[in-house]
Amino acid sequence: MENVIGQLVAKDYRTAAVFEKYGIDFCCKGNRTIDDVCNQKSIDKASLTKDLALLDDVREANPNDYNEWPLDLLASYIVQKHHRYVEKQIPVLQGYLKKIASVHGGEQPELFEIAELFNKTASELTAHMKKEELILFPKIQKLARTQNEGAENNTIPFGTFKNPITAMMDEHTNEGERFQKIKELSNNYTVPAGGCNTYRVAFALLNEFENDLHLHIHLENNILFPKVIAMESQKK
């Protein structure tokens, strides 16, 4: 369907900024239509579609048209761009969050919960990425190569891509929900009056981490995984 949110973002990632503006989850819940989400969240559909239409008036060549990338290249890009970013930022953020919770937690006790939630993300997202890097993505890359070479694909140990992909998408949903809670607890990453520079840096980095995670999940849920399922079905 043309108005499925995840598909719209897959075609033009600039639409993500519009959906973000209206508080619409385009990655973990990208399978909803514009009609559905407008009804569920009481969003003015006319205003939303007008903002989306404005993108056509300022359309420019997009050097990162991920929807056109070969699957093996896209999988490698996700690892090098997003997995490495997550690995680098996790200890940095953990340090900042621990510090501001210890200093400001008396006045803002929600900081302890934010730090706890992020530590959960650090643990589960790290394990999630390793499963992708060691098991799922190498098989995706092999599938793409054999498709390009016209060779027969070897037996997949987990039987079908659908099972591990479903598991990965469920874990994406968990991360999306966890960050939604962090966003609520932090009042959309708003630093209270009197917040120190460390406080500001911590929330700015946390916001950046969430934005990167949204693109990360979008590339997998809305582009990589559907194309893998489609490619696998063609080989049967």
Side-chain angles (χ1 to χ4, degrees):
M1 298 177 64
E2 292 184 356
N3 65 343
V4 173
I5 291 167
Q7 293 179 8
L8 291 173
V9 180
K11 293 178 181 178
D12 185 352
Y13 187 67
R14 296 175 308 151
T15 59
V18 177
F19 291 127
E20 290 275 8
K21 172 183 174 182
Y22 288 88
I24 297 172
D25 183 347
F26 64 84
C27 55
C28 298
K29 298 180 180 178
N31 60 336
R32 297 176 295 173
T33 66
I34 288 177
D35 289 339
D36 288 341
V37 77
C38 286
N39 290 333
Q40 292 167 4
K41 298 177 69 69
S42 299
I43 294 171
D44 181 358
K45 181 183 175 182
S47 178
L48 172 60
T49 52
K50 180 181 178 181
D51 284 350
L52 290 171
L54 288 174
L55 294 176
D56 291 329
D57 296 334
V58 294
R59 182 174 298 278
E60 298 176 356
N62 183 2
N64 293 325
D65 190 1
Y66 305 109
N67 204 39
E68 301 300 322
W69 287 18
L71 296 189
D72 49 350
L73 175 61
L74 182 56
S76 295
Y77 175 82
I78 290 170
V79 171
Q80 295 304 318
K81 174 71 173 179
H82 297 288
H83 288 198
R84 297 294 88 88
Y85 170 84
V86 169
E87 291 172 352
K88 178 182 176 182
Q89 292 301 102
I90 278 176
V92 174
L93 269 164
Q94 285 179 317
Y96 279 133
L97 292 174
K98 181 178 180 181
K99 183 174 182 179
I100 64 173
S102 65
V103 174
H104 300 279
E107 295 78 23
Q108 284 92 36
E110 68 275 5
L111 291 174
F112 291 107
E113 187 174 355
I114 291 172
E116 182 179 353
L117 286 167
F118 186 78
N119 285 339
K120 187 73 171 176
T121 281
S123 174
E124 296 195 1
L125 192 54
T126 296
H128 172 92
M129 293 189 305
K130 287 303 179 186
K131 286 184 286 187
E132 289 183 335
E133 291 180 29
L134 297 176
I135 303 172
L136 181 57
F137 282 10
K139 286 295 177 181
I140 288 175
Q141 290 166 327
K142 186 173 184 179
L143 177 70
R145 287 194 298 269
T146 56
Q147 179 83 353
N148 293 336
E149 297 166 1
E152 290 297 326
N153 189 30
N154 290 336
T155 302
I156 302 168
F158 36 73
T160 173
F161 279 100
K162 183 177 181 180
N163 296 331
I165 282 176
T166 298
M168 293 299 99
M169 292 180 69
D170 287 343
E171 292 177 8
H172 288 166
T173 298
N174 292 339
E175 291 304 328
E177 291 175 350
R178 188 153 35 237
F179 255 91
Q180 182 60 37
K181 181 64 174 177
I182 289 174
K183 195 170 186 175
E184 292 170 0
L185 288 168
S186 64
N187 189 24
N188 197 20
Y189 308 111
T190 302
V191 179
C196 63
N197 284 337
T198 300
Y199 208 135
R200 297 180 186 280
V201 170
F203 272 23
L205 289 178
L206 202 56
N207 189 13
E208 178 189 88
F209 191 97
E210 184 193 25
N211 290 335
D212 182 84
L213 188 63
H214 281 180
L215 175 54
H216 178 175
I217 293 175
H218 161 68
L219 292 178
E220 295 183 12
N221 278 16
N222 297 329
I223 300 179
L224 181 66
F225 292 164
K227 288 191 173 186
V228 169
I229 295 296
M231 185 178 291
E232 182 185 32
S233 66
Q234 291 173 2
K235 295 182 72 65
K236 292 179 178 179

